[in-house]
């Protein structure tokens, strides 16, 4: 399958010479895994936030010899602009709402948004985990991994779910995020590991030479590959 580079017509050599650029998700994930080296062989659990986080989490878990699964969380898009996140909901019903973004929306409208996404969550759990439950998180160190953080809504919802499941320590890890978002995450998680925080941050894809959206099937393939490789 041919994929379009996020960097236009520039050569990969030119792009990769720029500070803070990654060739692709695998390159970024391998660098992220090295930054998480202290968690190698410690019994930590890596939870990817699909879809893009599935590939990143796969390489991180592989390097750290950690358990791997996918935690499904969905953005709650504003009724008039679905790309604008009001908040997010995780698969156990844990909700994060952006105080500014939800302004002007009624409780009934927010409830409707949650109901819509809960249906999609059920579908994705079946598609991406074959309906399997998440591993037990109580007393565990959990590494929440994504391919990049934009609004952070799904990550915040995922953090709350992990807290509800009794995780002892929650580490958010991603190749890129905005500086303000990293500071906000530090208030919610126990540790935040971000490789790049660009001065002018417009979106996750800006630090990747080759960036494309994964399908459910591609995300699932990383889980299937990991299952083949574990002892």
């Amino acid at each position: 399958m041919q994929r379009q580079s996020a960097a236009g017509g520039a050569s990969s050599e030119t792009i990769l010479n720029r500070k803070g650029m990654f060739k692709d998700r695998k390159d970024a994930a391998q660098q992220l895994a090295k930054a998480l080296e202290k968690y190698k062989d410690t019994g930590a659990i890596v939870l990817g936030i699909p879809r893009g986080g599935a590939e990143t989490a796969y390489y991180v878990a592989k390097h750290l010899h950690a358990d791997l699964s996918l935690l499904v969380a969905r953005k709650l898009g504003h009724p008039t602009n679905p790309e604008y996140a009001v908040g997010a909901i995780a698969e156990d019903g844990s909700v994060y709402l952006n105080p500014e973004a939800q302004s002007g929306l009624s409780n009934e409208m927010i409830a409707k948004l949650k109901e819509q996404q809960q249906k999609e969550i059920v579908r994705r759990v079946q598609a991406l985990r074959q309906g399997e439950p998440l591993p037990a998180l109580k007393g565990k160190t959990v590494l929440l991994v994504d391919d990049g953080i934009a609004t952070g809504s799904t990550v915040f919802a995922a953090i709350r779910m992990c807290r509800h499941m009794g995780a002892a320590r929650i580490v958010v890890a991603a190749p890129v995020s905005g500086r303000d978002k990293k500071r906000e995450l530090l208030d919610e998680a126990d540790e935040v590991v971000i490789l790049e925080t660009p001065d002018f941050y417009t979106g996750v894809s800006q630090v990747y030479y080759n960036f494309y959206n994964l399908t459910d099937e591609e995300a699932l393939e990383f889980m299937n590959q990991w299952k083949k490789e574990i002892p």
Side-chain angles (χ1 to χ4, degrees):
M1 181 185 302
Q2 178 143 7
R3 299 291 193 173
Q4 174 138 11
S5 161
S11 70
S12 60
E13 291 79 12
T14 299
I15 293 295
L16 293 176
N17 282 335
R18 295 179 191 168
K19 183 179 182 299
M21 288 297 297
F22 305 110
K23 180 180 178 182
D24 50 23
R25 283 192 184 91
K26 180 178 180 180
D27 175 35
Q30 289 175 335
Q31 293 186 47
L32 185 61
K34 291 177 182 177
L36 296 165
E37 192 82 28
K38 66 182 178 182
Y39 294 107
K40 190 170 187 176
D41 294 315
T42 63
I45 297 173
V46 174
L47 296 181
I49 299 178
R51 299 180 182 119
E55 180 174 1
T56 314
Y58 164 77
Y59 289 109
V60 169
K62 186 176 179 179
H63 181 84
L64 300 181
H65 305 157
D67 198 2
L68 172 67
S69 191
L70 301 178
L71 189 159
V72 179
R74 292 286 295 168
K75 177 177 68 178
L76 300 175
H78 195 282
T80 61
N81 181 7
E83 293 303 311
Y84 182 59
V86 173
I89 182 169
E91 58 184 87
D92 72 334
S94 296
V95 174
Y96 163 78
L97 293 174
N98 183 328
E100 297 177 3
Q102 66 172 307
S103 177
L105 294 181
S106 66
N107 291 335
E108 290 77 11
M109 180 56 72
I110 292 174
K112 184 176 181 180
L113 294 175
K114 290 192 287 187
E115 182 181 357
Q116 290 170 346
Q117 292 307 321
Q118 282 174 318
K119 293 178 181 178
E120 176 62 12
I121 283 173
V122 170
R123 186 196 72 78
R124 288 205 178 191
V125 168
Q126 185 61 45
L128 300 173
R129 290 209 313 263
Q130 312 288 276
E132 293 180 2
L134 286 171
L137 304 186
K138 189 171 183 178
K140 296 285 189 177
T141 293
V142 175
L143 309 182
L144 281 173
V145 175
D146 208 344
D147 58 359
I149 297 170
T151 67
S153 295
T154 53
V155 178
F156 284 119
I159 291 171
R160 294 182 180 188
M161 178 173 174
C162 292
R163 293 280 185 219
H164 293 159
M165 292 183 68
R169 182 174 180 79
I170 299 173
V171 182
V172 173
V176 64
S177 83
R179 292 177 183 176
D180 289 345
K181 200 58 60 179
K182 181 178 180 179
R183 284 191 288 268
E184 291 175 28
L185 286 165
L186 284 167
D187 291 334
E188 296 277 339
D190 298 297
E191 183 180 355
V192 178
V193 178
I194 306 290
L195 300 183
E196 298 294 336
T197 53
D199 292 333
F200 301 101
Y201 184 52
T202 59
V204 172
S205 64
Q206 80 178 65
V207 297
Y208 289 90
Y209 170 70
N210 186 21
F211 186 86
Y212 55 88
N213 294 325
L214 292 181
T215 64
D216 284 352
E217 292 75 18
E218 288 169 326
L220 178 60
E221 182 55 34
F222 284 105
M223 285 299 300
N224 289 339
Q225 187 63 31
W226 178 80
K227 289 176 182 178
K228 293 176 185 176
E229 295 170 349
I230 61 173

